[in-house]
């Protein structure tokens, strides 16, 4: 097997174990905190506030990470970042409001390291022919995390309206152990040298002492300036709208939607159990999307990235409409017996929407990763830092308004940004296609010129 593909597989498994723990925590955080407040009225923590702090700090730290990675490398950045995830989960064994928020801020800084480190590592292990396959393999394996943790929660929460302390301790302890396994895998990843452009390769052949001049391994100040300069290019200003949408829908599917299902009393006594089942089917959609548009990317990307993103857009619109009809407006804010358009709401439809949210998210993210790691490979650290910065700002804003806004208003925001974001992504993809076609024509023309000269000679 290709050594780089093995690197990608191990990277995917490292993220799978780590995020089996964290994504499950994010999925149940507000539900669990609601139960903690029942047991301890002095506890003042809030799940939505915690998640908004994580993404707010993440957005700020994204600008610092390119400079840090010049010193740590992608692998070191991922190990440091993974450690902060473990620390965050440990804090739930001793629930204190101040500790929750402090660990959320620390996790935000670590998240910037781990995600940008992942993008840079994928870029180092890929070339234009393998980038779709590698992003898809990593994405599909990583999203298996949605199965195991949420399946565990599904059985642990079975028949419970209140998540008692003993159940919480068991769940948190198991998740922390799983996260540590993922951290060990990331620490054992092979070193992969950075991507070099043609000028760097020529310099290497002329002077081996100049081999550190690759486009990725710049000094910290230059790395920061490069990220800022790239952010203000036309392509990235357009892509930022798409990144904002992925941030809003990330906050919705990872923290709001499953919680809304658990708070909908008319779904019956098993509403809390459905929180875990919802997370599982989000994962099913994510993995299926990763397989179709990543592992089989050489076939599905034949007509470009834009048809896949447009498909994700349509799927998300369908899911938003069904969620609007099925769940009450007050569902994100706490337990509610309010009416929805469908009365009573249907559990199977709620779970179907979970699948659609996951599948549509995979359509967007696999193609964004493919574009950034493929078309911007020489600036992959800067490109992924911009992506994560913009996405994180949007996610932080999403979690802030989620704690104050009804479900239908949140859906309205998602619909507007899905339309604009999809259009902007397509504009950039079409520009890349035109550039690639022009380069192909120029290359063919140069080849013909060489043939003609050879014939004359």
């Amino acid at each position: 097997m290709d050594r780089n593909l093995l690197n990608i597989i191990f990277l995917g498994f490292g993220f799978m174990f780590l995020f089996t723990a964290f994504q499950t925590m994010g999925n149940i955080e507000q539900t669990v905190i609601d139960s903690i407040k029942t047991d301890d009225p002095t506890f003042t923590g809030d799940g939505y506030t915690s998640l908004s702090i994580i993404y707010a700090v993440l957005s700020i730290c994204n600008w610092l990470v390119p400079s840090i990675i010049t010193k740590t490398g992608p692998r070191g950045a991922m190990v440091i970042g993974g450690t902060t995830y473990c620390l965050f989960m440990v804090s739930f064994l001793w629930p204190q409001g101040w500790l929750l928020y402090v660990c959320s801020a620390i996790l935000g800084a670590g998240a910037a390291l781990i995600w940008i480190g992942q993008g840079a590592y994928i870029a180092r292990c890929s070339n234009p022919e393998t980038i779709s396959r590698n992003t898809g393999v990593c994405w599909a394996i990583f999203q298996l995390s949605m199965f195991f943790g949420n399946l565990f929660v599904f059985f642990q929460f079975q028949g419970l309206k209140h998540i008692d302390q003993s159940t919480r301790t068991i769940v948190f302890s198991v998740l922390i152990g799983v996260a540590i396994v993922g951290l060990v895998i990331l620490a054992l990843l092979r070193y992969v040298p950075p991507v070099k452009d043609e000028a760097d390769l020529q310099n290497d052949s002329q002077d081996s002492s100049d081999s550190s001049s690759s486009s990725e391994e710049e000094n910290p100040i230059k790395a920061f300036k490069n990220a800022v300069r790239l952010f203000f290019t036309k392509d990235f200003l357009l892509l930022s709208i798409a990144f904002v949408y992925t941030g809003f829908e990330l906050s919705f599917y990872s923290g709001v939607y499953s919680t809304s299902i658990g708070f909908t009393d008319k779904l019956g006594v098993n509403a809390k159990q459905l929180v875990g089942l919802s997370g599982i089917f989000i994962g099913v959609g994510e993995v299926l999307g990763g397989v179709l548009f990543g592992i089989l990317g050489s076939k599905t990307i034949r007509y470009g990235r834009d048809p896949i993103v447009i498909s994700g857009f349509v799927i998300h619109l369908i899911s938003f409409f069904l969620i609007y009809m099925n769940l009450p407006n007050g569902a994100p804010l706490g337990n509610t017996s309010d009416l929805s358009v469908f009365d009573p709401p249907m559990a199977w439809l709620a779970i179907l929407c979970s699948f659609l949210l996951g599948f549509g998210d995979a359509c967007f993210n696999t193609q964004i990763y493919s574009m950034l790691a493929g078309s911007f490979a020489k600036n992959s650290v800067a490109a992924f830092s911009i992506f994560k910065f913009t996405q994180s700002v949007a996610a932080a804003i999403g979690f802030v308004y989620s704690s104050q806004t009804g479900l239908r208003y949140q859906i309205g925001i998602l619909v507007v940004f899905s339309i604009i974001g999809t259009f902007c992504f397509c504009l950039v993809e079409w520009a890349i296609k035109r550039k690639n076609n022009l380069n192909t024509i120029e290359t063919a023309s140069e080849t013909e010129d060489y043939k003609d000269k050879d014939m004359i000679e």
Side-chain angles (χ1 to χ4, degrees):
M1 185 181 290
D2 177 6
R3 179 169 177 166
N4 281 331
L5 180 56
L6 278 175
N7 293 338
I8 293 294
I9 290 172
F10 279 109
L11 176 67
F13 275 107
F15 270 71
M16 185 202 75
F17 281 104
L18 185 62
F19 282 87
T20 289
F22 178 71
Q23 287 190 328
T24 304
M25 285 286 293
N27 203 32
I28 66 174
E29 184 174 354
Q30 184 64 24
T31 304
V32 167
I33 284 177
D34 190 61
S35 294
I36 293 174
K37 287 180 177 178
T38 302
D39 292 341
D40 181 9
T42 63
F43 181 77
T44 58
D46 178 77
Y48 291 142
T49 303
S50 165
L51 291 167
S52 66
I53 290 172
I54 290 171
Y55 286 99
V57 175
L58 169 58
S59 65
I60 296 169
C61 290
N62 277 316
W63 291 108
L64 306 176
V65 168
S67 300
I68 296 172
I69 288 184
T70 62
K71 301 300 182 183
T72 65
R75 182 179 53 180
M78 288 188 285
V79 171
I80 296 170
T83 303
T84 67
Y85 279 79
C86 295
L87 177 64
F88 173 78
M89 286 178 278
V90 168
S91 71
F92 276 84
L93 294 175
W94 186 49
Q96 300 288 324
W98 67 268
L99 182 62
L100 172 65
Y101 296 146
V102 169
C103 289
S104 296
I106 294 172
L107 173 57
L113 287 166
I114 198 170
W115 282 110
I116 298 174
Q118 183 211 43
Y121 194 81
I122 292 174
R124 289 187 179 194
C125 293
S126 306
N127 57 47
E129 288 72 37
T130 62
I131 184 60
S132 292
R133 180 202 66 186
N134 288 351
T135 54
V137 168
C138 188
W139 185 263
I141 296 174
F142 156 56
Q143 290 297 344
L144 288 172
S145 61
M146 298 295 289
F147 293 121
F148 305 119
N150 285 297
L151 187 62
F152 173 63
V153 167
F154 175 77
F155 287 110
Q156 286 294 315
F157 287 4
Q158 192 167 12
L160 297 178
K161 281 193 172 183
H162 171 75
I163 314 303
D164 58 86
Q165 183 177 354
S166 62
T167 302
R168 297 196 302 264
T169 301
I170 292 172
V171 170
F172 297 150
S173 299
V174 171
L175 294 181
I176 291 166
V178 172
I180 292 173
V181 173
L183 183 60
V184 171
I185 294 174
L186 293 177
L188 295 176
L189 287 173
R190 289 191 184 103
Y191 170 77
V192 181
V195 177
K196 296 184 178 183
D197 58 22
E198 293 181 3
D200 291 327
L201 294 174
Q202 290 174 3
N203 289 338
D204 287 348
S205 64
Q206 294 171 3
D207 183 0
S208 60
S209 65
D210 195 33
S211 61
S212 63
S213 63
S214 78
S215 58
E216 284 193 18
E217 289 191 343
E218 303 158 329
N219 65 69
I221 296 176
K222 187 176 180 183
F224 174 77
K225 290 181 178 179
N226 184 44
V228 173
R229 184 167 56 250
L230 187 63
F231 179 74
F232 286 102
T233 62
K234 179 182 177 181
D235 284 347
F236 268 83
L237 289 175
L238 288 171
L239 284 174
S240 291
I241 307 298
F243 300 162
V244 166
Y245 172 64
T246 65
F248 283 151
E249 59 106 0
L250 169 65
S251 66
F252 185 75
Y253 84 76
S254 67
V256 176
Y257 181 62
S258 296
T259 298
S260 299
I261 292 175
F263 283 154
T264 302
D265 292 339
K266 289 199 172 186
L267 285 172
V269 294
N270 290 323
K272 294 291 187 291
Q273 189 180 13
L274 290 174
V275 173
L277 194 60
S278 170
I280 292 170
F281 275 83
I282 290 172
V284 172
E286 295 277 14
V287 172
L288 181 60
V291 170
L292 288 179
F293 307 128
I295 298 174
L296 303 178
S298 59
K299 295 179 175 61
T300 56
I301 205 172
R302 184 176 302 170
Y303 302 105
R305 301 178 183 96
D306 44 312
I308 298 172
V309 168
I310 292 171
S311 298
F313 161 69
V314 173
I315 289 168
H316 270 177
L317 285 187
I318 294 171
S319 68
F320 296 150
F321 173 75
L322 294 176
I323 292 168
Y324 178 93
M325 302 293 286
N326 196 46
L327 297 183
N329 186 51
L333 307 177
N335 290 309
T336 179
S337 298
D338 292 348
L339 297 176
S340 56
V341 177
F342 295 153
D343 189 31
M346 293 171 275
W348 68 268
L349 185 58
I351 300 304
L352 173 63
C353 290
S354 300
F355 169 79
L356 295 177
L357 287 174
F359 189 83
D361 181 68
C363 292
F364 278 93
N365 277 283
T366 56
Q367 302 316 300
I368 288 173
Y369 268 71
S370 175
M371 177 181 286
L372 297 184
S375 300
F376 301 94
K378 291 185 293 183
N379 292 306
S380 62
V381 172
F384 278 98
S385 69
I386 293 169
F387 169 44
K388 285 300 174 182
F389 163 75
T390 314
Q391 185 186 63
S392 302
V393 169
I397 294 170
F399 282 119
V400 169
Y401 70 63
S402 295
S403 63
Q404 307 293 328
T405 311
L407 185 65
R408 293 172 184 175
Y409 292 104
Q410 294 186 41
I411 290 173
I413 293 171
L414 288 168
V415 169
V416 170
F417 276 90
S418 67
I419 295 170
I420 301 172
T422 301
F423 178 68
C424 289
F425 180 92
C426 290
L427 287 178
V428 177
E429 172 67 6
W430 295 335
I432 291 174
K433 282 183 181 178
R434 287 194 297 270
K435 182 179 178 181
N436 290 340
N437 290 337
L438 182 61
N439 289 339
T440 301
I441 293 171
E442 290 177 348
T443 302
S445 177
E446 290 174 359
T447 302
E448 290 297 323
D449 290 341
Y450 283 126
K451 288 183 179 178
D452 292 343
K453 289 180 181 179
D454 289 343
M455 292 177 66
I456 292 172
E457 291 177 356

